[in-house]
Amino acid sequence: MALRTPEERFEDLPGYDYEPNYVEVDGTRIHYVDEGSGEETFLCLHGEPSWSYLYRKMIPGLSEEGRVVVPDLPGFGRSDKWETQDEYTFGALYGAVEGFVEELDLTEVTLVCQDWGGLLGLTVAAKNPDRFARLVPMNTGLQDGSAEMSDEWKQFHDFVEMSEELPIGFLVSEACVGDLSEEVKAAYEAPFPDGSYQAGALELPLRVPTSPDDDGAEEMREARELLSEWEKPAFVLFSEDDPITRPAADDLRSLIPTAQDQPEVWVEDAGHFLQEDAGERIAEHIVEFVERT
C-alpha cells in the first residue's frame, strides 16, 4: 500500500499554481507539472527532501523555450509515498523514473537534475540515450561508492539516520543562501502531514553509495562508463556555495567529454538548492545552453 497526501495540503502554495497531472508507473501514481510546448522538452528532476515545488521559479523561463515536465519522485510531493524505508531501493526509484519517461514517451529531452534527481536521472539518460538530447547536472553527482563524501554530507547523513521525523522546511532553508519565508517552508512540508509520510525522505540520504558494494553503486558505475563516451551536449552547472556537492562538479566536467566544450559557470549567491536561491538566473543559463547547442 502507498500513502497519498490529501489534496488540500497543496492549496494556495506561494508561487505554485500549476495544474496537477498524474500517470501510473508499475502501480505507483506519479504526479507531474506539464507546462509549455514546442520541440524542446525539459525534464526537471528534484532530489532530497524536496519536490516539484523546487522548480517553480524556473518553469516560466524554461516554458518560453519549450515543454517543461517536472515530476515528483515516489515518496515526495503529490506522488504516492511507499510506506516503508526499505522499499526505496535504487532499482525501485530508477524504475519509476525510467517508467515515467516511457509512459509519457518523452524524446529530445534536456535533462535538468539536482541532488538525487541526478543520481537517478543521469543513470536513466546514460542507459536510454535515444530519448535524451542534452544533460544539465546541477549540484549532484554519480556516486559509485569510490569517492570520499564531504564532511557536510556526513553530518547530514548522521542527522537523518538518528531521526524519526525530519523538519523538512528547516532543512531546505538551511541549505539555501537566502532566507525562506514561513509560507515557503510550509510549502516544502506540504507533502508530509506527519512522519508516516516521510519514509522516502528518511531513506534517500542513507541510500547514497559510500562503498562499491552498496545498493545502486553498480548501476552508477555503469552509468559513469556510458557517460564517459557521451557525445551529445552537456552543461555542468553548480552553485558556488554548496559544500555538500561542490567537489562533484570537477568530476562530472571531466567525466562527460562534451561538458568540457561548455563554459565553466558557477552560480553566485546560491546554496545546495540553487533552484530556490537563483531559479530565474539558472533558467536563463539553461536556455542559453540550449540555443547555442
Side-chain angles (χ1 to χ4, degrees):
M1 294 292 293
L3 299 174
R4 288 183 180 172
T5 303
E7 283 297 314
E8 56 265 25
R9 298 273 301 181
F10 302 101
E11 294 176 358
D12 301 322
L13 301 184
Y16 188 85
D17 57 357
Y18 302 108
E19 288 296 318
N21 301 276
Y22 296 96
V23 65
E24 189 166 297
V25 177
D26 293 332
T28 296
R29 192 180 75 163
I30 294 180
H31 162 263
Y32 63 101
V33 173
D34 196 342
E35 295 289 319
S37 61
E39 295 182 1
E40 302 292 339
T41 296
F42 299 93
L43 174 63
C44 302
L45 299 181
H46 71 85
E48 155 80 16
S50 61
W51 58 292
S52 55
Y53 185 77
L54 180 67
Y55 281 97
R56 72 194 184 283
K57 298 179 182 179
M58 294 178 59
I59 293 171
L62 294 179
S63 64
E64 292 181 4
E65 187 75 13
R67 181 186 182 189
V68 186
V69 179
V70 194
D72 293 329
L73 295 177
F76 299 86
R78 280 180 152 122
S79 291
D80 282 356
K81 293 159 185 68
W82 305 328
E83 292 188 80
T84 61
Q85 289 183 221
D86 59 9
E87 293 178 88
Y88 290 87
T89 64
F90 185 88
L93 292 165
Y94 174 92
V97 176
E98 185 178 61
F100 176 83
V101 171
E102 292 173 350
E103 284 291 333
L104 269 63
D105 194 22
L106 300 180
T107 57
E108 293 299 311
V109 172
T110 293
L111 173 66
V112 181
C113 55
Q114 181 256 351
D115 194 87
W116 259 93
L119 275 66
L120 296 166
L122 291 172
T123 306
V124 170
K127 296 185 179 184
N128 297 271
D130 291 347
R131 290 189 178 273
F132 290 83
R134 300 177 190 82
L135 306 176
V136 186
M138 312 186 303
N139 290 6
T140 188
L142 275 172
Q143 309 298 337
D144 63 0
S146 63
E148 178 68 18
M149 306 300 287
S150 67
D151 290 341
E152 289 80 5
W153 181 87
K154 291 176 183 177
Q155 292 170 8
F156 175 63
H157 172 279
D158 293 346
F159 172 78
V160 174
E161 191 172 36
M162 294 185 296
S163 301
E164 295 182 359
E165 185 172 347
L166 295 177
I168 301 293
F170 170 80
L171 291 175
V172 174
S173 179
E174 286 297 294
C176 293
V177 169
D179 294 328
L180 304 190
S181 69
E182 293 304 315
E183 291 78 12
V184 168
K185 291 178 188 177
Y188 280 109
E189 294 174 349
F192 311 106
D194 58 54
S196 67
Y197 289 77
Q198 289 189 2
L202 286 163
E203 184 63 20
L204 259 59
L206 313 184
R207 287 279 176 178
V208 177
T210 57
S211 166
D213 297 324
D214 285 349
D215 177 45
E218 181 178 353
E219 291 88 340
M220 280 185 270
R221 202 153 43 239
E222 181 182 353
R224 291 181 66 89
E225 292 175 2
L226 293 169
L227 290 178
S228 71
E229 300 178 354
W230 186 266
E231 297 179 349
K232 300 174 185 179
F235 181 34
V236 177
L237 186 62
F238 273 54
S239 60
E240 283 191 333
D241 301 308
D242 180 23
I244 295 175
T245 63
R246 184 183 172 99
D250 289 341
D251 174 58
L252 287 176
R253 287 193 180 108
S254 61
L255 173 68
I256 307 172
T258 54
Q260 300 157 36
D261 300 332
Q262 299 301 320
E264 183 173 317
V265 174
W266 292 91
V267 180
E268 298 178 350
D269 300 319
H272 182 61
F273 296 105
L274 67 173
Q275 305 99 313
E276 181 65 51
D277 280 323
E280 296 90 347
R281 282 188 283 136
I282 294 168
E284 291 176 4
H285 280 303
I286 295 172
V287 169
E288 289 171 1
F289 163 61
V290 169
E291 291 177 345
R292 67 176 174 260
T293 56

PDB file of all heavy atoms in Angstrom, residues 48-49 76 116 153 156-158 160-161 166 199-210:
ATOM      1  N   GLU A  48      16.419  15.186  -2.669  1.00  0.00           N
ATOM      2  CA  GLU A  48      16.060  15.033  -1.254  1.00  0.00           C
ATOM      3  C   GLU A  48      16.159  16.360  -0.518  1.00  0.00           C
ATOM      4  O   GLU A  48      17.171  17.058  -0.653  1.00  0.00           O
ATOM      5  CB  GLU A  48      17.034  13.999  -0.649  1.00  0.00           C
ATOM      6  CG  GLU A  48      17.275  14.073   0.833  1.00  0.00           C
ATOM      7  CD  GLU A  48      16.162  13.418   1.639  1.00  0.00           C
ATOM      8  OE1 GLU A  48      15.369  12.662   1.066  1.00  0.00           O
ATOM      9  OE2 GLU A  48      16.095  13.674   2.843  1.00  0.00           O
ATOM     10  N   PRO A  49      15.208  16.764   0.321  1.00  0.00           N
ATOM     11  CA  PRO A  49      13.885  16.160   0.548  1.00  0.00           C
ATOM     12  C   PRO A  49      12.806  17.029  -0.099  1.00  0.00           C
ATOM     13  O   PRO A  49      11.776  17.287   0.508  1.00  0.00           O
ATOM     14  CB  PRO A  49      13.787  16.205   2.071  1.00  0.00           C
ATOM     15  CG  PRO A  49      14.456  17.530   2.418  1.00  0.00           C
ATOM     16  CD  PRO A  49      15.518  17.758   1.366  1.00  0.00           C
ATOM     17  N   PHE A  76       7.490  11.706  -2.531  1.00  0.00           N
ATOM     18  CA  PHE A  76       7.631  13.157  -2.431  1.00  0.00           C
ATOM     19  C   PHE A  76       6.485  13.853  -3.164  1.00  0.00           C
ATOM     20  O   PHE A  76       5.865  13.292  -4.064  1.00  0.00           O
ATOM     21  CB  PHE A  76       8.972  13.597  -3.010  1.00  0.00           C
ATOM     22  CG  PHE A  76      10.156  12.999  -2.300  1.00  0.00           C
ATOM     23  CD1 PHE A  76      10.645  11.752  -2.662  1.00  0.00           C
ATOM     24  CD2 PHE A  76      10.749  13.666  -1.240  1.00  0.00           C
ATOM     25  CE1 PHE A  76      11.716  11.184  -1.992  1.00  0.00           C
ATOM     26  CE2 PHE A  76      11.821  13.109  -0.562  1.00  0.00           C
ATOM     27  CZ  PHE A  76      12.312  11.864  -0.942  1.00  0.00           C
ATOM     28  N   TRP A 116      19.454  13.945  -5.684  1.00  0.00           N
ATOM     29  CA  TRP A 116      19.062  12.591  -6.093  1.00  0.00           C
ATOM     30  C   TRP A 116      18.457  12.562  -7.501  1.00  0.00           C
ATOM     31  O   TRP A 116      18.461  11.528  -8.156  1.00  0.00           O
ATOM     32  CB  TRP A 116      18.068  12.004  -5.086  1.00  0.00           C
ATOM     33  CG  TRP A 116      18.723  11.038  -4.142  1.00  0.00           C
ATOM     34  CD1 TRP A 116      19.238  11.311  -2.908  1.00  0.00           C
ATOM     35  CD2 TRP A 116      18.944   9.646  -4.366  1.00  0.00           C
ATOM     36  NE1 TRP A 116      19.770  10.174  -2.350  1.00  0.00           N
ATOM     37  CE2 TRP A 116      19.597   9.130  -3.215  1.00  0.00           C
ATOM     38  CE3 TRP A 116      18.656   8.776  -5.413  1.00  0.00           C
ATOM     39  CZ2 TRP A 116      19.974   7.790  -3.097  1.00  0.00           C
ATOM     40  CZ3 TRP A 116      19.025   7.431  -5.298  1.00  0.00           C
ATOM     41  CH2 TRP A 116      19.674   6.953  -4.149  1.00  0.00           C
ATOM     42  N   TRP A 153      28.154  16.522   4.093  1.00  0.00           N
ATOM     43  CA  TRP A 153      27.233  15.437   3.740  1.00  0.00           C
ATOM     44  C   TRP A 153      27.173  14.406   4.859  1.00  0.00           C
ATOM     45  O   TRP A 153      26.088  13.913   5.210  1.00  0.00           O
ATOM     46  CB  TRP A 153      27.656  14.764   2.439  1.00  0.00           C
ATOM     47  CG  TRP A 153      26.705  13.665   2.058  1.00  0.00           C
ATOM     48  CD1 TRP A 153      25.552  13.786   1.333  1.00  0.00           C
ATOM     49  CD2 TRP A 153      26.792  12.281   2.443  1.00  0.00           C
ATOM     50  NE1 TRP A 153      24.924  12.556   1.242  1.00  0.00           N
ATOM     51  CE2 TRP A 153      25.661  11.626   1.912  1.00  0.00           C
ATOM     52  CE3 TRP A 153      27.716  11.541   3.164  1.00  0.00           C
ATOM     53  CZ2 TRP A 153      25.439  10.271   2.089  1.00  0.00           C
ATOM     54  CZ3 TRP A 153      27.494  10.176   3.356  1.00  0.00           C
ATOM     55  CH2 TRP A 153      26.355   9.561   2.825  1.00  0.00           C
ATOM     56  N   PHE A 156      24.938  15.586   7.598  1.00  0.00           N
ATOM     57  CA  PHE A 156      23.524  15.460   7.228  1.00  0.00           C
ATOM     58  C   PHE A 156      23.093  13.997   7.297  1.00  0.00           C
ATOM     59  O   PHE A 156      22.016  13.676   7.836  1.00  0.00           O
ATOM     60  CB  PHE A 156      23.310  16.019   5.821  1.00  0.00           C
ATOM     61  CG  PHE A 156      21.923  15.834   5.289  1.00  0.00           C
ATOM     62  CD1 PHE A 156      20.838  16.431   5.903  1.00  0.00           C
ATOM     63  CD2 PHE A 156      21.696  15.052   4.163  1.00  0.00           C
ATOM     64  CE1 PHE A 156      19.553  16.258   5.426  1.00  0.00           C
ATOM     65  CE2 PHE A 156      20.416  14.872   3.672  1.00  0.00           C
ATOM     66  CZ  PHE A 156      19.337  15.473   4.301  1.00  0.00           C
ATOM     67  N   HIS A 157      23.904  13.104   6.767  1.00  0.00           N
ATOM     68  CA  HIS A 157      23.610  11.670   6.801  1.00  0.00           C
ATOM     69  C   HIS A 157      23.382  11.200   8.237  1.00  0.00           C
ATOM     70  O   HIS A 157      22.394  10.505   8.537  1.00  0.00           O
ATOM     71  CB  HIS A 157      24.765  10.900   6.157  1.00  0.00           C
ATOM     72  CG  HIS A 157      24.674   9.409   6.300  1.00  0.00           C
ATOM     73  ND1 HIS A 157      25.055   8.743   7.456  1.00  0.00           N
ATOM     74  CD2 HIS A 157      24.255   8.444   5.425  1.00  0.00           C
ATOM     75  CE1 HIS A 157      24.859   7.439   7.291  1.00  0.00           C
ATOM     76  NE2 HIS A 157      24.382   7.239   6.077  1.00  0.00           N
ATOM     77  N   ASP A 158      24.271  11.577   9.136  1.00  0.00           N
ATOM     78  CA  ASP A 158      24.170  11.127  10.524  1.00  0.00           C
ATOM     79  C   ASP A 158      22.935  11.717  11.203  1.00  0.00           C
ATOM     80  O   ASP A 158      22.277  11.038  12.005  1.00  0.00           O
ATOM     81  CB  ASP A 158      25.428  11.518  11.290  1.00  0.00           C
ATOM     82  CG  ASP A 158      26.659  10.764  10.798  1.00  0.00           C
ATOM     83  OD1 ASP A 158      26.500   9.768  10.067  1.00  0.00           O
ATOM     84  OD2 ASP A 158      27.780  11.187  11.144  1.00  0.00           O
ATOM     85  N   VAL A 160      20.074  12.523   9.722  1.00  0.00           N
ATOM     86  CA  VAL A 160      18.899  11.801   9.224  1.00  0.00           C
ATOM     87  C   VAL A 160      18.823  10.409   9.825  1.00  0.00           C
ATOM     88  O   VAL A 160      17.750   9.931  10.217  1.00  0.00           O
ATOM     89  CB  VAL A 160      18.931  11.727   7.680  1.00  0.00           C
ATOM     90  CG1 VAL A 160      17.797  10.845   7.157  1.00  0.00           C
ATOM     91  CG2 VAL A 160      18.830  13.121   7.078  1.00  0.00           C
ATOM     92  N   GLU A 161      19.964   9.747   9.928  1.00  0.00           N
ATOM     93  CA  GLU A 161      19.997   8.374  10.442  1.00  0.00           C
ATOM     94  C   GLU A 161      19.471   8.297  11.871  1.00  0.00           C
ATOM     95  O   GLU A 161      18.863   7.293  12.272  1.00  0.00           O
ATOM     96  CB  GLU A 161      21.425   7.836  10.375  1.00  0.00           C
ATOM     97  CG  GLU A 161      21.545   6.345  10.627  1.00  0.00           C
ATOM     98  CD  GLU A 161      22.948   5.841  10.353  1.00  0.00           C
ATOM     99  OE1 GLU A 161      23.923   6.573  10.643  1.00  0.00           O
ATOM    100  OE2 GLU A 161      23.072   4.710   9.845  1.00  0.00           O
ATOM    101  N   LEU A 166      11.675  14.289  10.018  1.00  0.00           N
ATOM    102  CA  LEU A 166      12.567  15.360   9.580  1.00  0.00           C
ATOM    103  C   LEU A 166      11.844  16.711   9.545  1.00  0.00           C
ATOM    104  O   LEU A 166      10.694  16.787   9.116  1.00  0.00           O
ATOM    105  CB  LEU A 166      13.108  15.060   8.184  1.00  0.00           C
ATOM    106  CG  LEU A 166      14.003  13.831   8.053  1.00  0.00           C
ATOM    107  CD1 LEU A 166      14.398  13.631   6.586  1.00  0.00           C
ATOM    108  CD2 LEU A 166      15.246  13.957   8.919  1.00  0.00           C
ATOM    109  N   ALA A 199       8.945   8.252   4.738  1.00  0.00           N
ATOM    110  CA  ALA A 199       9.856   7.112   4.569  1.00  0.00           C
ATOM    111  C   ALA A 199      10.904   7.385   3.499  1.00  0.00           C
ATOM    112  O   ALA A 199      12.090   7.070   3.665  1.00  0.00           O
ATOM    113  CB  ALA A 199       9.067   5.845   4.229  1.00  0.00           C
ATOM    114  N   GLY A 200      10.496   7.994   2.381  1.00  0.00           N
ATOM    115  CA  GLY A 200      11.447   8.295   1.314  1.00  0.00           C
ATOM    116  C   GLY A 200      12.467   9.332   1.738  1.00  0.00           C
ATOM    117  O   GLY A 200      13.669   9.184   1.486  1.00  0.00           O
ATOM    118  N   ALA A 201      12.003  10.393   2.375  1.00  0.00           N
ATOM    119  CA  ALA A 201      12.908  11.452   2.825  1.00  0.00           C
ATOM    120  C   ALA A 201      13.893  10.942   3.863  1.00  0.00           C
ATOM    121  O   ALA A 201      15.049  11.380   3.909  1.00  0.00           O
ATOM    122  CB  ALA A 201      12.095  12.618   3.386  1.00  0.00           C
ATOM    123  N   LEU A 202      13.460  10.002   4.689  1.00  0.00           N
ATOM    124  CA  LEU A 202      14.340   9.437   5.700  1.00  0.00           C
ATOM    125  C   LEU A 202      15.328   8.435   5.122  1.00  0.00           C
ATOM    126  O   LEU A 202      16.417   8.233   5.669  1.00  0.00           O
ATOM    127  CB  LEU A 202      13.513   8.760   6.797  1.00  0.00           C
ATOM    128  CG  LEU A 202      12.785   9.691   7.763  1.00  0.00           C
ATOM    129  CD1 LEU A 202      11.701   8.945   8.520  1.00  0.00           C
ATOM    130  CD2 LEU A 202      13.766  10.330   8.739  1.00  0.00           C
ATOM    131  N   GLU A 203      14.975   7.812   4.000  1.00  0.00           N
ATOM    132  CA  GLU A 203      15.821   6.738   3.451  1.00  0.00           C
ATOM    133  C   GLU A 203      16.832   7.211   2.421  1.00  0.00           C
ATOM    134  O   GLU A 203      17.943   6.681   2.360  1.00  0.00           O
ATOM    135  CB  GLU A 203      14.934   5.651   2.834  1.00  0.00           C
ATOM    136  CG  GLU A 203      15.686   4.436   2.319  1.00  0.00           C
ATOM    137  CD  GLU A 203      16.426   3.663   3.408  1.00  0.00           C
ATOM    138  OE1 GLU A 203      16.081   3.823   4.600  1.00  0.00           O
ATOM    139  OE2 GLU A 203      17.353   2.906   3.062  1.00  0.00           O
ATOM    140  N   LEU A 204      16.489   8.191   1.592  1.00  0.00           N
ATOM    141  CA  LEU A 204      17.369   8.536   0.482  1.00  0.00           C
ATOM    142  C   LEU A 204      18.785   8.918   0.906  1.00  0.00           C
ATOM    143  O   LEU A 204      19.751   8.487   0.247  1.00  0.00           O
ATOM    144  CB  LEU A 204      16.741   9.631  -0.390  1.00  0.00           C
ATOM    145  CG  LEU A 204      16.103   9.099  -1.683  1.00  0.00           C
ATOM    146  CD1 LEU A 204      15.016   8.084  -1.395  1.00  0.00           C
ATOM    147  CD2 LEU A 204      15.549  10.249  -2.517  1.00  0.00           C
ATOM    148  N   PRO A 205      18.977   9.715   1.952  1.00  0.00           N
ATOM    149  CA  PRO A 205      20.363  10.006   2.340  1.00  0.00           C
ATOM    150  C   PRO A 205      21.157   8.753   2.701  1.00  0.00           C
ATOM    151  O   PRO A 205      22.372   8.693   2.495  1.00  0.00           O
ATOM    152  CB  PRO A 205      20.209  10.926   3.555  1.00  0.00           C
ATOM    153  CG  PRO A 205      18.860  11.538   3.387  1.00  0.00           C
ATOM    154  CD  PRO A 205      18.019  10.455   2.781  1.00  0.00           C
ATOM    155  N   LEU A 206      20.476   7.746   3.234  1.00  0.00           N
ATOM    156  CA  LEU A 206      21.144   6.512   3.635  1.00  0.00           C
ATOM    157  C   LEU A 206      21.429   5.616   2.449  1.00  0.00           C
ATOM    158  O   LEU A 206      22.211   4.652   2.561  1.00  0.00           O
ATOM    159  CB  LEU A 206      20.283   5.760   4.663  1.00  0.00           C
ATOM    160  CG  LEU A 206      19.716   6.588   5.818  1.00  0.00           C
ATOM    161  CD1 LEU A 206      18.971   5.692   6.796  1.00  0.00           C
ATOM    162  CD2 LEU A 206      20.816   7.369   6.533  1.00  0.00           C
ATOM    163  N   ARG A 207      20.825   5.914   1.299  1.00  0.00           N
ATOM    164  CA  ARG A 207      20.989   5.103   0.094  1.00  0.00           C
ATOM    165  C   ARG A 207      22.102   5.601  -0.836  1.00  0.00           C
ATOM    166  O   ARG A 207      22.401   4.965  -1.829  1.00  0.00           O
ATOM    167  CB  ARG A 207      19.675   5.068  -0.700  1.00  0.00           C
ATOM    168  CG  ARG A 207      18.584   4.227  -0.078  1.00  0.00           C
ATOM    169  CD  ARG A 207      18.747   2.752  -0.367  1.00  0.00           C
ATOM    170  NE  ARG A 207      17.730   1.952   0.312  1.00  0.00           N
ATOM    171  CZ  ARG A 207      17.616   0.632   0.211  1.00  0.00           C
ATOM    172  NH1 ARG A 207      18.461  -0.032  -0.548  1.00  0.00           N
ATOM    173  NH2 ARG A 207      16.672  -0.015   0.871  1.00  0.00           N
ATOM    174  N   VAL A 208      22.678   6.743  -0.527  1.00  0.00           N
ATOM    175  CA  VAL A 208      23.791   7.223  -1.356  1.00  0.00           C
ATOM    176  C   VAL A 208      24.965   6.272  -1.161  1.00  0.00           C
ATOM    177  O   VAL A 208      25.431   6.085  -0.034  1.00  0.00           O
ATOM    178  CB  VAL A 208      24.202   8.652  -0.969  1.00  0.00           C
ATOM    179  CG1 VAL A 208      25.411   9.097  -1.786  1.00  0.00           C
ATOM    180  CG2 VAL A 208      23.035   9.613  -1.174  1.00  0.00           C
ATOM    181  N   PRO A 209      25.470   5.646  -2.234  1.00  0.00           N
ATOM    182  CA  PRO A 209      26.539   4.661  -2.061  1.00  0.00           C
ATOM    183  C   PRO A 209      27.826   5.284  -1.508  1.00  0.00           C
ATOM    184  O   PRO A 209      28.324   6.270  -2.043  1.00  0.00           O
ATOM    185  CB  PRO A 209      26.764   4.134  -3.481  1.00  0.00           C
ATOM    186  CG  PRO A 209      25.492   4.408  -4.211  1.00  0.00           C
ATOM    187  CD  PRO A 209      24.992   5.705  -3.625  1.00  0.00           C
ATOM    188  N   THR A 210      28.329   4.709  -0.435  1.00  0.00           N
ATOM    189  CA  THR A 210      29.620   5.116   0.114  1.00  0.00           C
ATOM    190  C   THR A 210      30.636   3.982   0.033  1.00  0.00           C
ATOM    191  O   THR A 210      31.778   4.148   0.440  1.00  0.00           O
ATOM    192  CB  THR A 210      29.471   5.566   1.576  1.00  0.00           C
ATOM    193  OG1 THR A 210      28.890   4.505   2.347  1.00  0.00           O
ATOM    194  CG2 THR A 210      28.574   6.800   1.670  1.00  0.00           C
TER     195      THR A 210
END
